[in-house]
Amino acid sequence: MLHALVGIKQVPDTTNIRIDPETGSLIRQGVPTIINPYDAHAVAAAVEWKRKLGGKITVITMGPPAAVSALQECIEMGADKGILVSDRKFSGADTLATSYVLAEAIKKIHEEDPIDLIFFGKQAIDGDTAQVGPGVAVRLGYPLITYAVNIREVNLEEGYALIERKTELRNEIIKTTLPAAMTCEKEIAEIPYAALPDLIASLRYKPQVWTADEPVAYDIAQIGLKGSPTMVFKTGTPVQHEPGELIKAAGTSLDKAVDLVLNKIMEHASGAPLIGGKK
Amino acid sequence: MSRRFWVFIEQEEGKIHPVAGELLGVARRLAGEIADELKQKNETAVVEGILVGHEVDDLAQEAIRLGAERVYQVDAPEFKYYLNRPYTEALKTLVKKYKPEVFLIGATTMGRDLAGAVATSLKTGLTADCTQLEMGEARGTNKKLLLATRPAFGGNVIATIVCKDHLPQMATVRPRVFDASPVNKKARGEVIKEKIKVTPDMLNAQVVEFITNQASAIKLEYADVIVSGGRGLGSPKGFELIKALADELGGVVGSSRACVDAGWISYDHQVGQTGKTVRPKLYIAAGISGAIQHKVGMQDSDFILAINRDPSAPIFSVATVGLVGDLYEIIPALIKKIHASKNKGGQA
Ligand SMILES: Cc1cc2nc3c(=O)[nH]c(=O)nc-3n(C[C@H](O)[C@H](O)[C@H](O)COP(=O)(O)OP(=O)(O)OC[C@H]3O[C@@H](n4cnc5c(N)ncnc54)[C@H](O)[C@@H]3O)c2cc1C
Ligand SMILES: Nc1ncnc2c1ncn2[C@@H]1O[C@H](COP(=O)(O)O)[C@@H](O)[C@H]1O
């Protein structure tokens, strides 16, 4: 039987983010939160393999109390258990501190109920760092497979899995011993429609809440701001560019406009003609 | 004493990834930025490359020509193909031995896989996907630190991150964000061979099969001409027109994320914050509104032509020239003109 663990993060829906034009800071109020999209696909992949092999899925998140709703959503998708690691003392964590908190919690879970495979998203869309998955894998000493696009086989008897990952030049199949940790691309699995019983269960579901003291007694020097080697020195808004020239190109002016543009491109590329030049 | 500025020399199949040359250029500039400060303390700054692989002697020399003053080379059969654990071990061991000040790694698939693991095993800070790097003073320190600037929250904010009390200060940088430094054919430098012990447990994950991936063959980052289509194409078929223009110009096809999400074209074509950063000589954006996340990926192109029927589309704010009109009228006209001028003999 498979015991899969998924690390998920609740993130602001960055498509809807607004910036205060006066202060240049983020308006957090009223910004909806979602499960980090890659993490949702990671949960879907875990659910798919639970269906194949039997077993269970534990979902873990470190975040504010409001992240309960993200865990409920995972139950709706087919996860069995949710753990929210939440404490004021964790706030201000960068990826190093986050990976410490998650790794220690995962060790605790593993002691009671050995884990076969850990799923992470490729990256969280609020920070796009893609560091937490590799960080946790290193801390646990697990083999790491990033950019996973397909799980070909999970063989629990013999303790290995075959996972396809994407690299710059090609895709490769990795044979890894279990337990292992992977970070997932969206291709890893389609988000399933919620089954009615799961949907009902999720509504009433109350995840376990773990603090900085219990059941894991965290080293205070390694969590929150204190445990974070990086800090934000300053923030700003991206530079605005000078707008270029605007040419209307409709009807009779189309021909002229196109000529004009092509000439400009040629002028610009003088010496190294782009058009009609090399192919 | 010298302060070391390190660059990971990413290589695969006997080729150095161009991002390594770009980072060596950055490292040289950063080293220069603290030269004065160091002089007063009788110290120097040195730019060094870290090369891991098998039978990569030639690449060590190439790294020197690209700007490394010294190269540490880990060369053994176990390192022939990239694997996270052995490579992490190699970098971690070398950092512990030489204690570099700054460590830059390309934000490629390999670099991101590696950087997070190395930083965690060294318990130091890592800033991902930086778009600006400089050495500067941060409050409360009397020494210059690496100021690593990157977009956050979907590109709506840019944040400058420092790593004050831990070394090395690590950062990943995407290909094409910085210019490559010029190749110096006469450069000479020292190559130091390092031995790293690889234990069997580090080989628990192994590559057992390669699958060629057609899509990966498009090298968007280093293309001279890119023609990108957006949701304004209206349907996946619109990319045929985009491709025709790209072919006419000897360029490649790019896309906004909206089309990738809609399944019109594969992710490998995506330009932008969560796609590729590109800097072609000519970038044509057709039917792309110009969301901030798209602009951050292409705004440094030499010449940007935007085609959009909405005169207030934000893409026009980064365009060198904007054509207001229907792409289905404009692009065929462009193709026709370019084609005609070619037939007239070479240049338009
Ligand atoms: C965290 C995050 C990361 C993101 N990363 C990226 C990224 O890497 N790359 C990216 O591109 N986006 C990214 N996005 C998405 C981005 O915010 C936009 O949603 C996306 O770029 C919009 O794509 P589009 O311009 O093709 O579509 P739209 O915004 O729908 O624009 C279509 C445009 O086409 C024009 N048009 C319509 N018909 C015609 C016609 N016949 N002729 C001419 N013009 C026409 C319209 O006027 C309009 O301006 C990201 C978003 C988030 C939140
Ligand atoms: N606070 C968190 N709690 C649980 N998992 C997390 C958390 N932050 C990040 N992750 C996981 O790590 C992945 C990468 O996140 P990041 O390094 O922030 O880009 C995410 O897709 C999640 O799977």
Side-chain angles (χ1 to χ4, degrees), chain A residues 79-195:
Chain A
D80 301 276
K81 187 175 169 185
I83 295 173
L84 169 65
V85 190
S86 187
D87 199 308
R88 301 276 288 264
K89 294 179 194 138
F90 294 134
S91 66
D94 72 359
T95 54
L96 188 72
T98 303
S99 70
Y100 167 68
V101 171
L102 292 175
E104 292 302 310
I106 293 169
K107 279 182 201 161
K108 184 81 194 170
I109 298 167
H110 186 73
E111 269 169 29
E112 271 147 41
D113 200 347
I115 295 164
D116 303 297
L117 204 50
I118 301 182
F119 296 74
F120 292 105
K122 172 174 85 164
Q123 62 199 47
I125 62 163
D126 55 352
D128 291 319
T129 69
Q131 289 166 9
V132 170
V136 172
V138 164
R139 288 178 183 275
L140 296 173
Y142 286 11
L144 165 70
I145 299 98
T146 50
Y147 301 99
V149 290
N150 181 33
I151 302 173
R152 209 184 250 187
E153 190 186 342
V154 178
N155 190 323
L156 296 173
E157 286 72 48
E158 291 173 41
Y160 73 85
L162 291 173
I163 297 166
E164 181 176 349
R165 72 184 287 263
K166 200 164 167 174
T167 74
E168 214 121 305
L169 296 181
R170 58 178 96 79
N171 285 16
E172 51 192 31
I173 306 286
I174 306 276
K175 182 173 182 181
T176 177
T177 57
L178 297 175
M182 52 195 262
T183 76
C184 303
E185 295 269 5
K186 286 185 181 167
E187 293 102 302
I188 197 84
E190 294 284 334
I191 311 277
Y193 287 104

Side-chain angles (χ1 to χ4, degrees), chain A residues 12-268:
Chain A
D13 185 353
T14 38
T15 26
N16 288 312
I17 267 186
R18 285 167 309 138
I19 301 295
D20 183 333
E22 300 281 294
T23 62
S25 63
L26 211 67
I27 305 172
R28 279 175 192 268
Q29 227 173 0
V31 176
T33 55
I34 53 171
I35 296 184
N36 179 40
Y38 296 102
D39 303 356
H41 286 269
V43 173
V47 169
E48 208 175 288
W49 282 88
K50 180 181 93 169
R51 300 243 154 91
K52 282 185 194 152
L53 303 172
K56 75 173 200 192
I57 300 169
T58 305
V59 182
I60 184 170
T61 189
M62 179 187 97
V68 162
S69 64
L71 291 173
Q72 284 171 333
E73 244 180 275
C74 295
I75 301 292
E76 187 183 321
M77 273 196 264
D80 301 276
K81 187 175 169 185
I83 295 173
L84 169 65
V85 190
S86 187
D87 199 308
R88 301 276 288 264
K89 294 179 194 138
F90 294 134
S91 66
D94 72 359
T95 54
L96 188 72
T98 303
S99 70
Y100 167 68
V101 171
L102 292 175
E104 292 302 310
I106 293 169
K107 279 182 201 161
K108 184 81 194 170
I109 298 167
H110 186 73
E111 269 169 29
E112 271 147 41
D113 200 347
I115 295 164
D116 303 297
L117 204 50
I118 301 182
F119 296 74
F120 292 105
K122 172 174 85 164
Q123 62 199 47
I125 62 163
D126 55 352
D128 291 319
T129 69
Q131 289 166 9
V132 170
V136 172
V138 164
R139 288 178 183 275
L140 296 173
Y142 286 11
L144 165 70
I145 299 98
T146 50
Y147 301 99
V149 290
N150 181 33
I151 302 173
R152 209 184 250 187
E153 190 186 342
V154 178
N155 190 323
L156 296 173
E157 286 72 48
E158 291 173 41
Y160 73 85
L162 291 173
I163 297 166
E164 181 176 349
R165 72 184 287 263
K166 200 164 167 174
T167 74
E168 214 121 305
L169 296 181
R170 58 178 96 79
N171 285 16
E172 51 192 31
I173 306 286
I174 306 276
K175 182 173 182 181
T176 177
T177 57
L178 297 175
M182 52 195 262
T183 76
C184 303
E185 295 269 5
K186 286 185 181 167
E187 293 102 302
I188 197 84
E190 294 284 334
I191 311 277
Y193 287 104
L196 194 60
D198 290 338
L199 187 68
I200 294 166
S202 75
L203 295 175
R204 274 184 257 140
Y205 189 76
K206 292 250 182 315
Q208 286 184 17
V209 181
W210 292 12
T211 67
D213 307 305
E214 256 189 326
V216 178
Y218 283 99
D219 168 12
I220 209 87
Q222 292 191 64
I223 63 175
L225 267 182
K226 227 190 203 154
S228 300
T230 60
M231 57 173 223
V232 178
F233 167 54
K234 61 177 185 212
T235 58
T237 38
V239 262
Q240 297 296 323
H241 282 252
E242 285 290 306
E245 187 181 352
L246 216 55
I247 304 170
K248 289 222 158 49
T252 48
S253 69
L254 178 68
D255 226 41
K256 271 207 210 103
V258 166
D259 270 338
L260 194 66
V261 166
L262 285 178
N263 279 332
K264 280 191 187 291
I265 294 174
M266 292 317 303
E267 250 170 55
H268 184 86

Side-chain angles (χ1 to χ4, degrees), chain B residues 71-138:
Chain B
V71 172
Y72 299 97
Q73 182 180 341
V74 176
D75 200 315
E78 299 95 302
F79 296 105
K80 182 167 164 73
Y81 295 108
Y82 173 77
L83 278 176
N84 179 275
R85 296 278 293 279
Y87 271 61
T88 300
E89 180 68 17
L91 268 56
K92 180 179 102 181
T93 309
L94 294 182
V95 165
K96 288 197 163 155
K97 185 165 168 189
Y98 293 105
K99 306 191 170 46
E101 183 95 4
V102 167
F103 198 172
L104 306 178
I105 297 179
T108 57
T109 318
M110 184 193 294
R112 293 187 112 189
D113 183 275
L114 185 58
V118 172
T120 309
S121 61
L122 292 165
K123 306 254 179 343
T124 190
L126 168 64
T127 307
D129 271 355
C130 301
T131 49
Q132 282 170 49
L133 291 171
E134 58 182 310
M135 299 299 290
E137 229 152 276

Side-chain angles (χ1 to χ4, degrees), chain A residues 13-16 125 128, chain B residues 153-154 229-233 255-259 270-276 286-294 307-310 313-314 325-328:
Chain A
D13 185 353
T14 38
T15 26
N16 288 312
I125 62 163
D128 291 319
Chain B
F153 292 103
R231 188 148 44 197
L233 293 174
S255 169
S256 72
R257 178 160 130 181
C259 305
Q270 184 181 317
V271 172
Q273 169 147 4
T274 42
K276 300 272 164 51
I288 293 178
S289 61
I292 182 106
Q293 298 91 358
H294 188 80
I307 304 169
N308 197 306
R309 64 178 179 202
D310 171 8
D326 188 337
L327 70 92
Y328 282 102

